[in-house]
Amino acid sequence: MVVKRTQNSEPKFLRSCEVRGCEKISAALLHGHDLCLTHFLTKAYEYLEIFDLRAEGRGGKQISRSLNTAEARSFVKECSIQALQVSLRSEALTNLERSRLLDILLWTGELSDRLRCQRSAADDRPALANKAAQGSNAATLQG
């Protein structure tokens, strides 16, 4: 079912949720699938739990090597943008839906920070190794 809607003076065509058996209008796009609000919230939480478990690894809040950081960054960006757009576009959200969207935004922000810290640490490792090697070479030359 396609419904014409105007928002910001541009016509938009609304699509149906792609989950089998769901006839609601799509509220967000996640991993290339149009999802109604209920299914978006469900899928976002599923993916966030998966990435969060993989991100914690053995050392607590440290990113595990098994986490595909490019995939995680892409998901975090997409999910946070979609959650924000849904919260700004939807006029009739319940308090529970608002709180879930906020929770998703906060959770994606936390994962984004962890991914950023991991990338910074990975970028610093070669520089630290070079400095250590230069330091040991200088000590050898002086000794």
Side-chain angles (χ1 to χ4, degrees):
M1 176 171 121
V2 178
V3 179
K4 187 174 181 180
R5 170 179 79 163
T6 58
Q7 181 181 17
N8 297 334
S9 70
E10 293 180 23
K12 298 225 175 192
F13 293 91
L14 299 180
R15 299 179 185 149
S16 295
C17 179
E18 291 183 20
V19 173
R20 187 178 301 182
C22 183
E23 296 179 9
K24 294 180 183 176
I25 297 296
S26 171
L29 188 68
L30 192 60
H31 283 296
H33 298 284
D34 285 305
L35 301 170
C36 67
L37 180 58
T38 303
H39 288 115
F40 169 73
L41 294 170
T42 302
K43 290 292 183 189
Y45 276 119
E46 285 175 13
Y47 286 117
L48 283 167
E49 286 175 5
I50 290 167
F51 284 121
D52 204 24
L53 287 173
R54 287 169 53 195
E56 285 186 20
R58 285 187 235 158
K61 294 289 184 183
Q62 189 170 351
I63 301 289
S64 166
R65 292 189 191 276
S66 68
L67 178 62
N68 179 343
T69 54
E71 178 187 4
R73 282 189 195 100
S74 173
F75 168 76
V76 164
K77 181 178 179 181
E78 178 185 27
C79 188
S80 61
I81 288 170
Q82 290 298 312
L84 183 60
Q85 287 180 349
V86 168
S87 65
L88 294 174
R89 284 187 302 203
S90 301
E91 297 173 9
L93 292 173
T94 66
N95 285 339
L96 181 60
E97 291 166 338
R98 288 178 207 278
S99 66
R100 287 182 175 163
L101 288 167
L102 179 58
D103 186 42
I104 288 169
L105 284 170
L106 293 171
W107 200 349
T108 56
E110 181 183 324
L111 276 174
S112 179
D113 286 345
R114 284 196 262 165
L115 289 165
R116 192 174 306 113
C117 288
Q118 180 206 23
R119 186 168 52 186
S120 301
D123 292 345
D124 290 345
R125 281 185 212 129
L128 291 173
N130 286 339
K131 284 183 182 181
Q134 289 173 355
S136 66
N137 288 341
T140 305
L141 292 174
Q142 291 176 358

